[in-house]
Amino acid sequence: MSKATEILLGPIVSRNGGFAFDTFTDATGTTPGFTYRCVEQAKYDRNATLLGLHRASGVVTIACETADEFHRRAAAMSGADPIESGFIVAREAVPIHA
């Protein structure tokens, strides 16, 4: 039995005068998303991506609501220590253990 592909969807963030969200997989790392002019466009694309990936066979999609959650989960998936590998971690954050 093969392992399902896990994909993290980051929250919508302000970037380069617009709005974007990133994705993360253990195989490719963090992939920056397209920057949209309007937050509504970014929300629509994030939701469409989430639904499309949810329907794909063998894919587990996790939608992160905060940047901190995205970075902690990405560190846990890659097996890295979020503090030593340069991941941004809030002071009150608790690392996720796999």
Side-chain angles (χ1 to χ4, degrees), residues 44-59:
Y44 179 86
D45 190 45
R46 186 174 183 263
N47 288 337
T49 301
L50 181 61
L51 289 173
L53 291 172
H54 179 71
R55 293 180 181 144
S57 178
V59 176

Side-chain angles (χ1 to χ4, degrees), residues 62-74:
I62 301 168
C64 300
E65 298 303 318
T66 65
D68 181 54
E69 177 188 9
F70 181 74
H71 293 296
R72 286 186 294 118
R73 287 183 181 268

Side-chain angles (χ1 to χ4, degrees), residues 65-95:
E65 298 303 318
T66 65
D68 181 54
E69 177 188 9
F70 181 74
H71 293 296
R72 286 186 294 118
R73 287 183 181 268
M77 283 174 61
S78 64
D81 181 352
I83 295 170
E84 291 179 10
S85 62
F87 284 99
I88 299 169
V89 178
R91 292 181 194 175
E92 68 275 2
V94 177

